[in-house]
Amino acid sequence: MAAASAAEPGAEGRDQSDSVATASAAEPGAAGRDQSHLVAITDFQLQSVPLLSRVGADRADQLRTDVEAATAGWADAALLRVDSRSQVLVANGRVLLGAAAALADKPPPEAVFLGRIEGGRHVWAIRGALQAPEDPDVQAEVVNLRSLGPIFDDTSSQLVSSAIALLNWHDGARFSPADGSPTRPGRAGWSRVNPVTGHEEFPRIDPAVICLVHDGGERAVLARQAVWPERMFSLLAGFVEAGESFEVCVAREIREEIGLTVRDVRYLGSQPWPFPRSLMVGFHALADPAEDFSFNDGEIAEANWFTRDEVRVALEAGDWSSSSDSKLLLPGSISIARVIIESWAALD
């Protein structure tokens, strides 16, 4: 696990009592430790849906296998271009979409179908050079998804995150993992097919957990990776291993990275993170501030307990890109880490 830079739509109001799990039973020696002095856990939910988890378009998955409908919709479809650095053009707070028909008479094999936007218009994406808008009065900006932040509307957020995730997967899945045969796109970009065996592969997602560790009261743990500048802190995050549940992964990774034993691991929400193809699954968990930190693999340079007031001051100062002289700089709004931290900091 490392310090890292998603709630499902509608998750805020959902009864999540069935998703609560206690991970301490899996921790060596935890069962016999006296934890009666710990403050009762403060439960909370995300105050807002993470930016990349928002829904603004109809994914229209039934059209992925309807070649006739896809071809018919192409004439009036919109096209999202994503360059080799996963950058897009943004104008007036929205991703810039061009005319698909200007590219070809029908969807090329490398195009991926993203769904339908308002008015039922189809949207496709391709990897290619960005093109300036036809209207010279439109002031477009080249932007990387990591730096978009709140300037994105929900539809743009969904289209861009889906496009980048799919195109990244295609870039690395051109050959069959079974026999090395070249594969071809299928299902309007949502699969790849081995033409020799007919075997079909679907986009791979790498799940990772991200967790806010707190004491059930006024303090939470934030950590800094060794490769990060001074004052830049975030939550702890790491990939789920084979045969491991999300909750056990949280407990294992936190123990490995900073030496703390956590309990009462509780789900908060999730967020796609297409860098290159992750799904960040958010949690919060309880730990004992009396337990010493232990940095076991050198990935984490430092970790500290911060008070809720200190975190609130840091949030007001901005994010990692801020020029503030705050002793604590936190992730930006594009990441679920920010939403989790904000939600905890808002507790009375």
Side-chain angles (χ1 to χ4, degrees), residues 273-298:
W273 192 247
F275 307 109
R277 51 172 178 253
S278 296
L279 174 69
M280 303 302 298
V281 186
F283 294 88
H284 68 98
L286 188 68
D288 185 355
E291 193 173 4
D292 291 334
F293 289 116
S294 175
F295 308 123
N296 301 317
D297 62 4

Side-chain angles (χ1 to χ4, degrees), residues 16 48 68 86 93 112 145 181 202 210 256 289 317:
Q16 297 179 330
S48 62
E68 292 185 1
S86 292
V112 297
L145 182 59
S181 298
F202 294 91
I210 182 167
E256 289 178 357

Side-chain angles (χ1 to χ4, degrees), residues 104-130:
D105 294 334
K106 61 181 181 179
E110 67 274 14
V112 297
F113 178 69
L114 301 180
R116 296 181 295 203
I117 55 176
E118 187 176 357
R121 190 183 188 191
H122 293 192
V123 182
W124 294 74
I126 62 165
R127 179 83 75 188
L130 304 181

Side-chain angles (χ1 to χ4, degrees), residues 131-177:
Q131 292 186 351
E134 295 181 3
D135 186 346
D137 294 330
V138 174
Q139 299 297 313
E141 179 183 4
V142 178
V143 181
N144 184 291
L145 182 59
R146 289 178 183 268
S147 60
L148 283 172
I151 68 170
F152 240 7
D153 68 307
D154 291 355
T155 299
S156 298
S157 173
Q158 179 184 341
L159 294 177
V160 173
S161 60
S162 296
I164 291 176
L166 275 172
L167 294 171
N168 284 346
W169 173 69
H170 280 288
D171 288 346
R174 299 186 182 280
F175 297 91
S176 169

Side-chain angles (χ1 to χ4, degrees), residues 3-5 146 210 225 228 234-235 273 280 320 331 335-338:
S5 51
R146 289 178 183 268
I210 182 167
Q225 286 193 42
W228 290 355
S234 186
L235 304 183
W273 192 247
M280 303 302 298
W320 287 346
S335 119
I336 188 176
R338 181 83 178 195

